[in-house]
Every structure is written in C-alpha cells, then in structure tokens.
Amino acid sequence: MRKTLPVISTGAAGTASGGCSTAVAKTPARPGLPRWRKRNLRIALVRHHDLCLNTRQITQIQKRAGVLPHLGLGYIHTALKSAGFHNVIQVDTPALGLDSEGLRKLLADFEPDLVGVSTTTPGLPGAVEACQAAKSTGAKVILGGPHSEVYAHENLFHDCIDYVGVGEGITIMPELAEAMEQGDKPEGIRGLVTREHDGGAAPMVNLEEVGWPSRDGLPMNSYYSIMAPRPFATMISSRGCPFKCSFCFKQAVDKKSMYRSPEDVVGEMTELKDRWGVKEIMFYDDVFTLHRGRVREICALIGEQGLKVRWEAPTRVDLVPEPLLEAMAGAGCVRLRFGIEHGDSEILKRMRKESDIEKIERAVTSAHEAGIKGFGYFIVGWLGETQEQFRATIDLACRIPLDYASFYTATPLPGTPLHTESVAAGQIPADYWDRFVQGEFDARIGYLVPDAQRRAQAAYRAFFLRRSMAKPLLSHMASTGQWRNTLDGLRSLARSTSNTDRDF
C-alpha cells in the first residue's frame, strides 16, 4: 500500500486568512515504508545544462551569473531517503562541469534503476540529452519540473522518456520507486503520466513534513553566484504566489500558499552556517514577505539565537513596510530582489503587476535607508514597447537607489497570458512551443520587438557603466570576492557598445 505525505488543503478554509492548513492523512506522514527497511533500488536525480535557445538573459551576463544548487532535487532526495531509498545520488552537471558524455559515464558507473531529470521549458534540449544518457544505461527515466505540466504528453514524443511527473515530485518519485521495487504497475500514481495513462497533477505537500533538502554529496564548493561570497546556499521558506503577472507561468501547486514555521526556517539557516560554513543564504521564495508577520518572527528568532549570517530574498514593492525593512536589516538581510519589471505605467498595467512608479520609488528608497541593498528585475522588449517606454525603464533604474539590476528580454513562455497575447498579435507562431518540445531546437522564439536584445544590452550599459556605480561595484566585488566574473561582465558589456546606443 502506498503512503503519501500530507497535502496542503485546497478547501475554502485553507488560505482564507493568508496562511495555510495541513490536511493530515490517516497514514504516516512520510512516504513509503518505515526507515528501517532499506531498499535496493538505485536512483539518480539529474540537473543537466540548459542548451538554452530561449534564455531571457543576454549572453554577457548569462555566462557569468553563476551556478546555484537545485532545491527541488534536494527535497526529492530527502523524501526518497525517508521512504527507505538510500542508494540515491544527485548529479548536478553544471556544478560538476560534465558534458553529456561525462554524464553518461557517471550514470553507467552508478548503474541506476531509475533516473529523474528536472527541466524548465526553455531548458528542455539539455534535459533530453540527460534523458538519452540515462536511457543508454538501461534505467527507467522520468522527466519533471515546471515544464512538464504544460506538455506532459508531448514530452513522451522522446523515446528516452518513460514517465513524466506533473506537480509534486516529492511524492511522485517515492511512489514510483516503490512501485518499481515491488513490481507493481505505476499507473495509479497521482501526478504520473505515461503513454497509456494520465495521472493528473500531484498536489503540494507541507515541506516541514518532508525535511530539509539533502545537500549530501553535492559539490558545495563548486556553486557560485556573481551576487554572493562563497560558499553560499539557497533556501525556500514559503511556496506559492497569489499574484497573476502576465509573464509568469504557474504550476497548479504555485497557486496555493505554504509557509514554513520560523523555527524550521531558522533551524535550516543555522545548519547551513554551522555544517556547511555558508557566508550567505539566498532565499528563492516566490514572494518572501507575503506573510509579513511570519517574517517578523523569523527576524526575531534570528536575533534571539544570535545567528550571524548574511541573507537576501525576493519580494514585491508593495509588501515591504518600513518597520519590516528595519527588522530584516537587523537580522542580517543584506539585499532585496524587487520585481520592478518596467518604468512605464501603461506597460506595468499590461504586465498585471498591480504596481506603480510611486510604490517602486518608495520601496527601493526605504530599503536603501534601512541599509538593505536593492536589486531590481526589469523586462525590456515588451509586446508593443516603444523606444520612449524603454527609455523610461532605464531612467527609472538609474534614478532610484538600486545597487544592482538585471534586464531580461520579454519571452512568451507557454501557458502565460503574454504568450496568448503575443500569438493574438501575430508576433509568434501559435505552435512554436509544440514544435520546440518535439525536437525542433534550431531557432529561438521571436523577440516581441525587433531590437529587444540590443535594448537589454543598452540597459545594462546605461546602468552599470555610470560613473556613480564605480564605488558600489568595488564594494560588491570586495564583499563577495566575485572580482573576475564581475569585471569580465563589465568588459564584455563595454565592448558591445555601438553607435546604435544613441537610438535609445
């Protein structure tokens, strides 16, 4: 009999107060059989390189941004261990510096029975390479990740993929592993799609019932970020986002909210510092300050326990009141990543940001005054964006007290309102992603304005090559040790300067 994790309630009472409730099943909280029963199944969890035609980032920055740990695979690893599967490895090829042949040799030596590969839609070509390498060893292969929900059946076009996981891999993988070991057919597993069966989507689980993501066996010293000193780590303290930005794809599980307790969050932060010696923790919640009372409790607990570690987090400009910023700064927050997105009010409305220029200016200024550095995310080349609207974005980024900025090109990912609008406007083929998923990898999806790439490059130059940025950049490089990556990126941006900049 399969045993499942408790899931987040989807009933009306579950999130009415902005929190979450846990519907605990009658079976034990952890998946699988008791810990004392060890399984012989050999399992590999793989993240491969992107081979990404459809990146939103420009080349000069993408190559130097860094390689961050994959939290999703870490949580799946923990769930498998709790289910009694201990012959499990995580293979992070970007961190290990492995190409597809190196991955194939590593998997051949390990002789896995089951290989799970994680991907996003733009990163599918690299994931298919990993699946091919895994299949060559004779293993069963399952593909998962946020990509899989939109194109579950289309993924099975590739012979190297046996299963597709939709929704919560934390529950799908232990149940699939148990079915394989017991010789059962896997078709009854919720969230598992095969060529004969559609298992729907596996629901969100309470991460506190899973445990902290496993980092054992990972090359922790090989991870780096242009934004952080080494060693560093990534974490999530909550899941889900109630907002509906038109460029963002949401899985079914993303539409609900789940919050870890302050004690659990600070406990993991403490372990990261004490066991792994991390100097900075990067939170990758959708919106870290969505539940502001819980953030205050986290900050208070950090102070009570005397935990000294730098950390940063993503948020929205309308969710950072000044008292909260002061509490976060006092608890070690050194940077907030703001989803600003644009400097033109009309495009902000079309993005469904529920924001405005005044809120943006106030939030970034308040964070700066509290001693927290500001990182702004921007999207350029939006559908129908004029040069005047683009210049408004550069003007805003340079006017407010941001220490860092990232300028992405608008990319209509499948399942997003932006994709629907772009198809309706005749800017992209309606079937592009269908063809992409089935192996036509030779062309990037079209930009929504012809010079979107040049606009992004011009925005980076305008922001980072200002004289006023010299001191902040030197301070950043000194505090993070990221001298080479930062200087190489700046030199590359400077070399790409052309007379066409005056057009903007």
Side-chain angles (χ1 to χ4, degrees):
M1 177 180 178
R2 297 192 187 97
K3 302 179 182 178
T4 60
L5 291 167
V7 302
I8 300 303
S9 171
T10 59
T15 58
S17 63
C20 66
S21 64
T22 305
V24 182
K26 293 181 180 179
T27 51
R30 307 254 181 195
L33 298 178
R35 290 173 181 270
W36 54 263
R37 178 172 177 178
K38 292 187 177 180
R39 316 296 187 74
N40 295 319
L41 208 70
R42 302 175 71 82
I43 304 169
L45 305 173
V46 177
R47 187 216 1 215
H48 199 33
H49 64 84
D50 283 344
L51 286 181
C52 191
L53 294 171
N54 288 293
T55 176
R56 299 183 301 163
Q57 186 60 273
I58 66 171
T59 304
Q60 292 99 320
I61 304 300
Q62 184 185 15
K63 289 181 177 180
R64 300 165 179 85
V67 178
L68 278 61
H70 194 293
L71 288 171
L73 295 183
Y75 274 110
I76 292 173
H77 193 172
T78 296
L80 286 165
K81 288 192 293 185
S82 295
F85 296 97
H86 294 277
N87 291 327
V88 182
I89 60 171
Q90 291 185 61
V91 185
D92 196 345
T93 66
L96 294 169
L98 294 177
D99 59 13
S100 57
E101 178 60 19
L103 172 63
R104 188 196 64 76
K105 290 179 180 178
L106 187 154
L107 292 177
D109 290 341
F110 181 65
E111 298 181 338
D113 301 291
L114 174 64
V115 177
V117 178
S118 180
T119 188
T120 61
T121 303
L124 183 63
V128 170
E129 272 199 2
C131 292
Q132 290 169 338
K135 199 64 184 172
S136 72
T137 70
K140 290 290 185 181
V141 179
I142 176 172
L143 181 74
H147 157 87
S148 59
E149 186 166 317
V150 180
Y151 290 112
H153 292 283
E154 289 82 355
N155 287 320
L156 294 169
F157 170 86
H158 301 280
D159 293 337
C160 56
I161 300 172
D162 298 291
Y163 312 110
V164 174
V166 177
E168 193 67 89
I170 292 170
T171 60
I172 296 170
M173 284 295 289
E175 292 191 38
L176 175 59
E178 182 179 331
M180 287 180 60
E181 186 171 80
Q182 295 184 1
D184 294 342
K185 291 184 177 181
E187 279 76 8
I189 297 172
R190 187 171 178 185
L192 190 73
V193 177
T194 70
R195 288 176 175 83
E196 298 79 30
H197 178 77
D198 187 340
M204 180 186 284
V205 301
N206 187 333
L207 291 182
E208 287 194 46
E209 298 292 343
V210 181
W212 300 334
S214 175
R215 297 173 172 92
D216 295 328
L218 290 176
M220 293 294 287
N221 290 326
S222 295
Y223 294 110
Y224 71 96
S225 168
I226 199 170
M227 295 307 303
R230 298 165 75 173
F232 74 99
T234 53
M235 273 184 65
I236 54 172
S237 77
S238 65
R239 303 174 76 187
C241 176
F243 302 99
K244 300 177 181 179
C245 301
S246 63
F247 51 83
C248 184
F249 169 71
K250 284 187 170 63
Q251 302 178 84
V253 296
D254 295 328
K255 298 173 185 177
K256 307 173 185 70
S257 295
M258 187 284 299
Y259 304 97
R260 294 173 56 191
S261 69
E263 293 77 12
D264 195 50
V265 172
V266 177
E268 185 178 354
M269 294 175 73
T270 302
E271 189 209 50
L272 287 170
K273 183 177 186 297
D274 292 348
R275 180 182 177 187
W276 300 103
V278 303
K279 298 177 181 177
E280 183 167 317
I281 295 169
M282 305 173 77
F283 282 96
Y284 273 85
D285 302 37
D286 290 298
V287 187
F288 183 77
T289 59
L290 190 59
H291 193 311
R292 284 164 280 181
R294 186 189 66 107
V295 175
R296 291 189 188 94
E297 293 178 21
I298 290 172
C299 293
L301 193 57
I302 288 173
E304 290 171 11
Q305 297 192 2
L307 177 62
K308 303 295 183 183
V309 64
R310 294 160 47 113
W311 55 276
E312 60 146 58
T315 188
R316 288 172 55 94
V317 298
D318 53 352
L319 292 175
V320 282
E322 291 182 11
L324 182 62
L325 290 169
E326 293 169 2
M328 294 169 70
C333 179
V334 294
R335 186 182 311 109
L336 282 175
R337 306 193 303 276
F338 293 101
I340 296 171
E341 314 307 356
H342 214 274
D344 180 78
S345 298
E346 177 59 31
I347 289 186
L348 284 174
K349 291 178 183 177
R350 289 164 51 196
M351 288 179 169
R352 308 181 192 181
K353 279 300 296 181
E354 300 181 21
S355 180
D356 58 47
I357 304 302
E358 182 181 350
K359 288 179 181 178
I360 292 168
E361 292 176 336
R362 183 168 61 248
V364 175
T365 300
S366 295
H368 178 76
E369 291 174 348
I372 298 175
K373 297 182 186 299
F375 185 124
Y377 290 113
F378 297 89
I379 300 176
V380 303
W382 193 258
L383 184 65
E385 179 189 76
T386 65
Q387 289 192 9
E388 182 179 4
Q389 289 170 322
F390 167 66
R391 284 195 296 270
T393 297
I394 294 181
D395 291 344
L396 176 64
C398 295
R399 183 172 73 248
I400 57 180
L402 289 174
D403 296 87
Y404 321 93
S406 186
F407 299 92
Y408 294 103
T409 55
T411 301
L413 297 175
T416 64
L418 177 59
H419 181 265
T420 302
E421 294 163 10
S422 300
V423 170
Q427 292 296 110
I428 58 171
D431 63 346
Y432 172 84
W433 290 112
D434 300 88
R435 301 201 319 266
F436 180 85
V437 167
Q438 295 185 36
E440 296 184 22
F441 304 145
D442 56 347
R444 186 195 191 278
I445 195 168
Y447 290 113
L448 303 183
V449 297
D451 56 1
Q453 180 81 347
R454 288 199 301 122
R455 291 188 185 191
Q457 291 173 328
Y460 271 111
R461 288 192 290 270
F463 184 85
F464 282 106
L465 301 184
R466 293 176 290 161
R467 182 175 297 178
S468 61
M469 284 298 296
K471 185 175 180 180
L473 283 170
L474 286 171
S475 174
H476 171 74
M477 289 185 285
S479 65
T480 63
Q482 291 293 322
W483 293 90
R484 180 174 180 178
N485 283 326
T486 305
L487 290 172
D488 283 352
L490 292 171
R491 280 194 292 264
S492 180
L493 286 172
R495 284 197 298 268
S496 66
T497 303
S498 70
N499 291 332
T500 56
D501 275 9
R502 65 174 177 265
D503 297 337
F504 303 124

